[in-house]
């Protein structure tokens, strides 16, 4: 089952179910008005949503044509946005490029930060760039949308709390990062609003590609229409979503409507490309002593998507343009 949120002038939009071919939507109002409403009542709402999706797929219900520009983020605002850094190749590269050693607990203790969740971008919203000197970067990620998570949840039980999967462009203002990290208190200004994919999907929608708490599909990233990455999201995710969830739930619980991110999808095989510019610049620093690839500029376009074995665009495409003020 695939779900989307259609803009309707309200803060939280209108929940829609998505036809299997991704070309039509059906109002989910009989089951839940918003995605947050559905998450709050998941045991009651999910069967009703599935019935609507089956009716739409079978042609028994008349949907409306899907316009990606009419869609918001599946959750236009979330209770929390917690992001990990589960692909250790990415961590090692960016730290090596700046002459920093990875933490000694890199392989045993996940890196996480908490981003802003009150304002989230839709899949076709512009990426604002108030100052080119801030170094705007894209970041392709996989995310889980969670139900209620009790404190102390263990990885072995974490799967029962994963409601939906989606993609994110977790943009970073790279040139603001060093100054913030030097304060010893983490990211804030360097992490503006994150954009999410048009659709959020139940894990069964991707079949065996969802296993061991990882999405075993390839993410395609395009910059100005050119493919810069076809990165595999599965095997090199060192910490699974289940392990990330155990880590963040160690000292507190989370409410339904929390989003958990994987961090930048990254592969050691350079032939796979990259899903953030900082990684390519790190390779250039390591190989030649200086970065050559620029950061995003006004007018640039970014596209992020994942296709399954049938070639179906599972989450729809994040398709954004960088906009000057």
């Amino acid at each position: 089952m695939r779900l989307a949120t259609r803009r309707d002038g309200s803060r939280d939009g209108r929940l829609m179910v998505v036809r299997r071919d991704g070309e039509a939507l059906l109002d989910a109002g009989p089951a839940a008005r918003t995605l947050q409403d559905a998450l709050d009542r998941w045991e009651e709402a999910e069967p009703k949503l599935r019935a609507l999706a089956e009716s739409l797929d079978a042609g028994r219900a008349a949907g409306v044509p899907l316009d990606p520009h009419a869609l918001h983020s599946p959750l236009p605002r979330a209770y929390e946005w917690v992001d990990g850094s589960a692909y250790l190749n990415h961590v090692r590269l960016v730290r090596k490029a700046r002459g920093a050693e990875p933490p000694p607990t890199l392989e045993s203790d996940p890196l996480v930060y908490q981003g802003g969740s009150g304002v989230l971008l839709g899949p076709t919203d512009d990426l604002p760039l108030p100052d080119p000197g801030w170094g705007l970067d894209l970041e392709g990620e996989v995310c889980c949308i969670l139900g209620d998570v009790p404190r102390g949840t263990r990885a072995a039980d974490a799967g029962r709390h994963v409601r939906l999967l989606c993609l994110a462009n977790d943009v970073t203002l790279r040139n603001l990062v060093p100054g913030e990290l030097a304060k010893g208190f983490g990211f804030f200004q360097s992490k503006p609003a994150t954009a999410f994919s048009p659709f959020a999907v139940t894990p069964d929608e991707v079949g065996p590609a969802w296993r061991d708490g990882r999405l075993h599909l390839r993410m395609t990233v395009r910059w100005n229409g050119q493919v810069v990455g076809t990165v595999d999201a599965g095997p090199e995710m060192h910490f699974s979503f289940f392990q990330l969830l155990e880590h963040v739930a160690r000292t507190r619980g989370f409410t339904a409507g929390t989003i958990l991110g994987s961090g930048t999808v990254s592969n050691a095989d350079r032939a796979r490309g990259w899903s953030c510019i900082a990684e390519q610049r790190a390779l250039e620093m390591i190989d030649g002593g200086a970065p050559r690839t620029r950061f995003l500029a006004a007018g640039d376009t970014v596209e992020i998507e994942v296709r399954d074995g049938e070639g179906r665009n599972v989450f729809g495409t994040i398709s954004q343009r960088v906009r000057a003020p």
Side-chain angles (χ1 to χ4, degrees):
M1 175 173 64
R2 297 194 288 176
L3 302 173
T5 292
R6 193 179 187 189
R7 300 179 191 270
D8 68 350
S10 69
R11 280 184 180 269
D12 299 310
R14 188 80 175 180
L15 182 62
M16 313 291 285
V17 295
V18 182
R19 200 167 67 195
R20 181 168 175 76
D21 64 3
E23 296 296 327
L25 302 171
L26 180 65
D27 195 311
R33 189 187 184 283
T34 67
L35 181 53
Q36 185 60 53
D37 178 27
L39 293 167
D40 287 338
R41 304 180 295 104
W42 191 251
E43 288 74 17
E44 172 193 349
E46 184 199 17
K48 296 178 181 179
L49 291 169
R50 288 190 181 276
L52 289 172
E54 290 168 6
S55 180
L56 180 61
D57 287 339
R60 296 191 299 272
V64 297
L66 187 148
D67 175 8
H69 296 279
L71 299 182
H72 212 312
S73 166
L75 278 173
R77 52 179 173 169
Y79 277 103
E80 298 194 54
W81 160 229
V82 183
D83 196 21
S85 192
Y87 296 87
L88 301 192
N89 180 66
H90 172 77
V91 180
R92 291 183 175 115
L93 279 177
V94 295
R95 294 208 174 197
K96 183 176 181 180
R98 66 171 189 259
E101 289 293 323
T105 58
L106 180 67
E107 296 185 11
S108 60
D109 195 25
L111 297 169
V112 296
Y113 85 94
Q114 188 159 7
S117 60
V119 177
L120 302 177
L121 299 182
T124 62
D125 286 346
D126 287 344
L127 288 173
L129 180 57
D131 185 341
W134 291 350
L136 181 63
D137 195 359
L138 61 103
E139 284 191 53
E141 300 194 16
V142 180
C143 306
C144 291
I145 299 176
L146 305 174
D148 290 316
V149 180
R151 186 196 64 78
T153 293
R154 304 304 296 269
D157 301 317
R160 70 182 64 178
H161 305 299
V162 174
R163 300 288 181 252
L164 300 161
L165 309 175
C166 62
L167 305 180
N169 181 14
D170 182 42
V171 292
T172 300
L173 299 170
R174 295 291 180 188
N175 293 338
L176 299 187
V177 169
E180 289 202 300
L181 293 185
K183 298 176 183 179
F185 215 53
F187 302 122
F188 195 86
Q189 291 182 343
S190 53
K191 299 300 292 188
T194 300
F196 291 87
S197 55
F199 314 144
V201 314
T202 49
D204 62 284
E205 187 71 21
V206 295
W210 173 250
R211 61 185 186 273
D212 58 40
R214 298 170 174 86
L215 180 68
H216 292 265
L217 291 173
R218 286 181 179 172
M219 173 186 289
T220 298
V221 180
R222 291 185 290 270
W223 182 9
N224 292 331
Q226 179 181 351
V227 174
V228 294
T230 53
V231 286
D232 197 328
E236 294 181 62
M237 187 181 185
H238 181 80
F239 297 105
S240 72
F241 278 108
F242 300 160
Q243 292 169 309
L244 290 175
L245 190 51
E246 177 180 301
H247 176 77
V248 300
R250 180 185 180 192
T251 59
R252 57 173 161 155
F254 295 90
T255 192
T258 296
I259 307 174
L260 177 63
S262 67
T264 304
V265 179
S266 177
N267 294 164
D269 181 0
R270 295 191 184 188
R272 298 247 62 86
W274 42 268
S275 66
C276 80
I277 297 170
E279 193 166 304
Q280 173 65 8
R281 288 168 60 91
L283 290 170
E284 292 165 353
M285 283 282 290
I286 293 165
D287 291 345
R292 299 186 306 277
T293 303
R294 64 174 175 81
F295 288 117
L296 296 174
D300 282 356
T301 59
V302 173
E303 295 170 287
I304 301 170
E305 66 185 25
V306 165
R307 294 186 180 267
D308 63 15
E310 301 174 4
R312 188 173 55 131
N313 193 349
V314 179
F315 304 99
T317 302
I318 297 174
S319 181
Q320 300 180 275
R321 182 177 295 275
V322 179
R323 173 180 53 82

